[in-house]
Amino acid sequence: PRGWRATPAGQAPAPSVMVQADALISSGTPGHVAAAGGDPGLTYKWYVDNGKIEGAVDGASILWTAGETGYAHVYCAGANAEGAKTVAMATVKIIQAPAISRFEANPPAVNPGESVALGWDAAGATKLTLDPGGEDVTAMQGPPKTVRPQETTTYTLTGVNEAGTVASKSLTVKVVPPPLVRSFGASGVVAVGQPLTLVGDFSGGHAEIRKGGDVLASSDQSPIQAQTTLKDGDSYTLVVKGETGSTASSTRTFSTQGH
């Protein structure tokens, strides 16, 4: 707390008044307390030249919102029953509040252990911390931070300034299993000119059974099946595309000799 006490000369019995307020705060932040002290029985009225008083301007204390960076002067006039008045003042330094304008992950979804670039733009913070892990990343002002999560993880970037004001942003990197083809083949008798049922067992994405450029079947659920008529030497491919864009595939070629 910091204040300045003033008792005007030649006005005895002028009251004694003192103002207490935080010496250092951040621009635009609300809820700062200023309190008056002095002789018993005084009434008080307040004024702030770089900020806004929240609520009533009278009483033994006020809440106020900081203005722009620079300095604010918090004035309090204390009056006694005889009408004598003393004005006291506290000077408060206002610094830039921390702000995180951008916090992003590229890509936002990966397979386990793949790399993700975390990037951000921050201002007004004397310290930046990345969680989980509590890593101090204050000095990282350029290339993005690379992480390799093994499971879906929420990252939080927190900035704090000299006044103790905190700003933070969070994001979640989704970790998904890679696409996988467990099996792909045909059921029943394989013969030229006969109906052929193709069956694929897969996981980790959206599946399609293709013949050349034609899609015979598609599904998000395993197993996937497609009905076709076999010609000797026909080839079919099961392609599974995961959420991250990676793919897995299996190709089967059938002939009159079996499958």
Side-chain angles (χ1 to χ4, degrees):
R2 178 179 177 180
W4 177 74
R5 177 177 175 173
T7 303
Q11 293 190 11
S16 175
V17 179
M18 178 174 285
V19 174
Q20 291 186 324
D22 292 331
L24 182 67
I25 61 177
S26 298
S27 59
T29 54
H32 300 289
V33 178
D39 296 339
L42 299 181
T43 59
Y44 300 101
K45 189 170 184 179
W46 297 84
Y47 170 72
V48 178
D49 66 359
N50 183 15
K52 181 179 180 181
I53 296 175
E54 304 166 17
V57 298
D58 51 12
S61 65
I62 59 167
L63 294 176
W64 65 289
T65 299
E68 299 177 353
T69 57
Y71 288 90
H73 300 98
V74 181
Y75 299 92
C76 180
N80 60 21
E82 289 74 28
K85 182 171 67 173
T86 298
V87 177
M89 178 191 73
T91 299
V92 179
K93 185 177 181 180
I94 302 177
I95 62 175
Q96 182 181 1
I100 300 170
S101 58
R102 178 182 66 92
F103 183 38
E104 61 187 16
N106 184 29
V110 292
N111 299 138
E114 291 183 340
S115 62
V116 179
L118 301 179
W120 56 82
D121 292 320
T126 55
K127 184 177 181 180
L128 287 172
T129 304
L130 180 65
D131 287 297
E135 182 180 358
D136 188 339
V137 293
T138 308
M140 296 189 65
Q141 301 293 333
K145 168 72 175 175
T146 299
V147 294
R148 291 179 172 82
Q150 295 295 327
E151 60 186 9
T152 297
T153 302
T154 297
Y155 294 92
T156 300
L157 183 67
T158 302
V160 63
N161 68 1
E162 292 178 77
T165 305
V166 175
S168 65
K169 277 186 179 295
S170 296
L171 58 81
T172 298
V173 176
K174 189 175 182 181
V175 176
V176 296
L180 175 66
V181 175
R182 297 191 185 96
S183 63
F184 181 46
S187 65
V189 177
V190 177
V192 173
Q194 297 299 311
L196 179 69
T197 301
L198 301 167
V199 181
D201 183 20
F202 68 95
S203 63
H206 176 79
E208 293 182 347
I209 296 177
R210 302 173 183 173
K211 180 182 179 183
D214 297 327
V215 176
L216 305 182
S218 64
S219 178
D220 293 322
Q221 300 294 324
S222 183
I224 183 174
Q225 295 188 10
Q227 301 288 335
T228 186
T229 300
L230 180 65
K231 294 181 181 178
D232 193 23
D234 278 351
S235 291
Y236 303 89
T237 301
L238 172 60
V239 179
V240 184
K241 185 175 183 179
E243 187 173 340
T244 67
S246 59
T247 61
S249 65
S250 178
T251 299
R252 293 296 307 274
T253 299
F254 298 94
S255 70
T256 56
Q257 303 303 314
H259 64 92

